[in-house]
Each structure stands twice: as structure tokens, then as C-alpha cells.
Amino acid sequence: KSFHIGHVKNAVFGETIRRILVLNGNKTITVNYNGDVGTHVAKWLWYFKKFYKGKIPDEKFIHWTGEIYAKACEKAEEKPEYKDEISELNLLVDKRDSSILPIWKEIRDKCYESYMKIAEELGADVQKIYPESDCEEPGKRIVRELLEKGVLELSDGAVIANLEKENLGVLVFLKSDGAALYAAKDLGLLNLKKQDGFDKLIYIVGSEQDHYLKQLFTVFDRGGLSKKEDNVHVSYGLVTLKEGKMASRLGNVIVYDDLKDEMIKRAKKEIEQRNPDLKDKDEIARMVAFGAIKFSMLNMDNPKPLKFDWDEALDMQGRTGPYIQYTHARICSLLRKAEAGGTIEASLLKDEKEISLLRHLSKFGQVVENAGRELKPLIITNYVYELASKFNEFYQFVPVIKADENVKKARIGLIEAVKQVLCNGIWILGIEGPEEM
């Protein structure tokens, strides 16, 4: 499928959680669980083999795969026999049949390669990939073991977990024909993670899976596979369009390439209007574009959905990434004019705006600790925005360069401290701080 704006939210949100955990002294390993089998994969391969006449592109590969998938979904509805053909091809994929295996592996590997490039652009540290296809057989084995133990049970030939006592309904692991569903594969995934030595598992998954993951963690615990408290679902709200929820099969998604290119174009236009003589406009536009995207993704409570707004995300005066970045650039400019470093002499910092800045700086460690305990990027965005706002108020009303020499040194020292903490905060958010804007 296309890597779209919803996937960007997942990557940015997950990476920020990782950085918060790292600053709280944790060792983290970041992994992706990718769906490389199933009906959607078979549908894609079916259309590609039966109808596609072009070449496999090297540029914007993921964009192309998404287009193929949308066309496959549309084509599959034209004739009833097409669905039978897709089902047959799905069986071939499940059996790793030699007639389909080479192209399946080629497209899958190209997808993984493209995803890793996107992760690098987004600054997301993905250390390992678990393919869904590696989880199916170990998952089925664990299902059989849990069935023998009485943790799972048979119902009309299917293997299920009856979770009615926990008010969680029923969770199906194997269909009556023996086919493994997502829950069975998640058991296999858990097994692979345990082999890699994880102590705690944090699932960064959209809020539509809240109920399912409660069911899954209950089965983990009931089956003695993993304690419920060692599995944490950090749920986040979906990214939507004004037209409604996005769906890859409908083709109504903002794909990553388009999101990035459009945001860079808009950022560059804004920069040219504000500072036409600025050097390295392309690089700064890239930094501002990604800052706008990331801050908008993170600046809300975890469960709250996002309706992405281009103009709002790029607003230099609003609660946005570019506003924070502009503040950083303003600080850099002021320090260049100062030409010398400062030393915070607290007794000389008497203005209420200076005291307000000092107090806010002193809270940073506690803020990071709180964000780690609650696993909420919003705690960091709130802090960083308030720091930028307090600095800009200070900058507007408190003289620095023209102050008495000792006071000047104290204020420059304060500004250097603001810059350091601001850099620390935006690092957590994966945002870069331009020195000019």
C-alpha cells in the first residue's frame, strides 16, 4: 500500500515516544510489524500479474504500489470470478508456491527498502522488521498449545478465546478451515519478540484497535505468555481528511511523497516572501516542512484525531513547528550579534520575564519524566511552545545587547540556556532548528 499521512503519524508518534523513553534512561529497540501476506497482498499481485503492462519503477516506488492497490480494489469488484481468482492466488502465497514466490519477494523487499528510506527522512530509528509471514506458523503452534491447555476453545470448528467474563466478547484465532487470523499471528509475533529479549512491549497502534489489543493482552496473560502489565498500547487518534476517513483501497489518501513535496513547496514560498536574501533556502524549507508536519502530528492529546491543515501547520505565528523553529533562529541571530558567551549571574536577572524563563527552564527534567510516565508527546510540545513564547516575550521587552555589561552577560547566559533546552525539546520531537529563517 501507499505510505500515507496516517503512516507518517504512526512513525513520528512512535519515534517521539522512543526518544522520551531514552531520555528517561531506558534502552529501546524499535521494530515494525509489516503485513506481507493476506488478501490485500494477493489482490495487489493478482492485478499486477493479470492487468499491469508497465515496468516496476525505481522512483516513488511506494507511491506506485499504492496506485496499483487502489486499481486492484476497483477492478476486483467488476466480476464475481475475480474474487475467486484472488482467493486462489492468496492460497499460492500462503503455500509460498514457486509460481508466485519470486515476484512476491521482489515487491516485498522493494517495499521494505522504500519504507526504510522514508523512516530515515523522518528521523525514525527502525532497527528491525518482523514480517507477518514469519509469524503465521509459530502463531498456529501457540494456538494449538493454548487449545490443549484450555485457554482457547473450539467453536463450530474455529479456535476462539471466550472473553465474556472480562466484557471483551470473543476473539477468533483460527477459522474453521484452519486459516490463521491476525490474533494467531500476533501470538507468533510475541514469540519472536520474546526471543529478542524484550522486557516490556509498547504497541504504537491507532485507536481503532483499542478493543482488539485489550483482548489480545488478556489472552497473553491468561495463557502465561506475557503479563498484561508488560504490554502497553499507546493509542493515538487517526489522521483524517475533510472528506472523511482515508482508505488505501479507495485511493483517497495523501501519500507521503505528495505530503513532503507540497509542504516543502509551501515552506519555500513562505521563506522567499519573508527573507528573499536567505541562503540555503531549499535546506531550510525542508527543515521547516518536516517541522510543520511533525509538530502538527504531536501537538494534541494521544486519542484526539487530526484533520491536517496545510496553512495551519505552517503558520509562523501559531502553535506550530515553524513558530518554534523561528524562535530558535531568532535566538541564534541574537547570540551572533552578542559576539561573546554569557554567564548566568542569577542575582542580576530581576525582570519578571527573566524569572519566568528561569522557572520554566528548571521544569524541563520533570516534564520529560512526566512525558515518559504518561507516554504523551503533547507534554513536550506544550513545554516547548511555552518556552518559545516566554522567550519571545522576553526578547520583545528586555534589552540584551544594549544592557549594562554585567547584565548583558547574565542575559546572554540565560539565552544560551534557553537555546540548549529548546534544542533538547525539539530533538525529542524530531524537529531540526535552523539558525536562519
Side-chain angles (χ1 to χ4, degrees), residues 325-396:
Q325 290 171 311
Y326 181 70
T327 302
H328 179 270
R330 174 177 270 181
I331 290 171
C332 290
S333 175
L334 183 54
L335 291 176
R336 282 194 299 272
K337 291 176 184 175
E339 296 180 346
T343 303
I344 295 180
E345 184 64 49
S347 63
L348 298 176
L349 299 174
K350 299 176 181 178
D351 188 283
E352 63 179 28
K353 293 175 180 57
E354 296 169 326
I355 294 169
S356 178
L357 266 177
L358 282 167
R359 284 177 174 160
H360 198 67
L361 290 174
S362 73
K363 296 175 183 177
F364 182 66
Q366 187 61 54
V367 164
V368 173
E369 189 177 322
N370 293 344
R373 184 174 57 253
E374 298 186 37
L375 299 177
K376 280 190 177 183
L378 176 63
I379 293 173
I380 304 296
T381 63
N382 281 342
Y383 177 87
V384 168
Y385 173 74
E386 287 173 20
L387 179 59
S389 297
K390 287 178 183 294
F391 170 79
N392 285 320
E393 189 176 358
F394 161 86
Y395 178 84
Q396 185 177 358

Side-chain angles (χ1 to χ4, degrees), residues 58-74:
D58 292 322
E59 298 296 321
K60 294 194 174 183
F61 176 78
I62 289 297
H63 198 147
W64 171 77
T65 60
E67 290 175 349
I68 296 292
Y69 182 64
K71 290 175 181 177
C73 292
E74 186 178 353

Side-chain angles (χ1 to χ4, degrees), residues 152-315:
L152 303 181
E153 59 189 71
L154 287 170
S155 176
D156 295 327
V159 180
I160 68 162
N162 187 331
L163 305 173
E164 297 289 358
K165 289 182 180 179
E166 292 88 352
N167 294 318
L168 292 173
V170 170
L171 180 60
V172 182
F173 286 80
L174 298 180
K175 295 198 295 186
S176 57
D177 62 2
L181 298 179
Y182 285 125
K185 294 169 187 176
D186 271 318
L187 293 178
L189 175 62
L190 175 66
N191 184 63
L192 293 178
K193 289 179 180 177
K194 287 172 70 177
Q195 290 176 21
D196 284 337
F198 286 91
D199 299 313
K200 193 164 192 171
L201 300 169
I202 298 177
Y203 293 70
I204 309 294
V205 183
S207 56
E208 76 276 18
Q209 298 296 336
D210 286 354
H211 180 71
Y212 168 70
L213 286 170
K214 285 179 184 177
Q215 291 179 311
L216 195 66
F217 296 165
T218 301
V219 173
F220 287 175
D221 191 70
R222 188 189 281 185
L225 303 173
S226 181
K227 293 179 182 178
K228 193 181 291 186
E229 60 266 26
D230 291 338
N231 294 271
V232 178
H233 176 205
V234 182
S235 175
Y236 63 87
L238 296 181
V239 181
T240 57
L241 301 175
K242 292 179 180 178
E243 295 81 7
K245 184 177 177 180
M246 296 183 297
S248 297
R249 66 184 181 278
L250 301 177
N252 68 333
V253 298
I254 300 176
V255 297
Y256 170 74
D257 288 326
D258 290 345
L259 172 69
K260 176 184 69 173
D261 293 347
E262 178 65 19
M263 190 58 90
I264 289 174
K265 184 177 80 173
R266 289 173 180 243
K268 190 173 180 181
K269 182 180 178 182
E270 187 76 19
I271 289 167
E272 286 174 339
Q273 288 176 348
R274 290 172 175 267
N275 193 351
D277 298 326
L278 186 66
K279 296 178 181 179
D280 300 322
K281 287 193 187 72
D282 289 343
E283 176 61 10
I284 293 172
R286 181 196 64 78
M287 294 168 70
V288 170
F290 278 100
I293 292 167
K294 291 179 179 182
F295 197 88
S296 68
M297 299 281 182
L298 300 168
N299 189 39
M300 57 184 60
D301 202 12
N302 290 3
K304 189 175 179 180
L306 168 68
K307 286 190 177 181
F308 188 77
D309 186 299
W310 303 95
D311 295 327
E312 188 177 293
L314 271 174
D315 186 359

Side-chain angles (χ1 to χ4, degrees), residues 323-333 388 391 419 422-423 426 432-437:
Y323 172 76
I324 309 299
Q325 290 171 311
Y326 181 70
T327 302
H328 179 270
R330 174 177 270 181
I331 290 171
C332 290
S333 175
F391 170 79
K419 180 187 175 185
L422 190 65
C423 286
I426 63 175
E432 298 170 88
E435 295 196 359
E436 291 183 283
M437 267 179 73

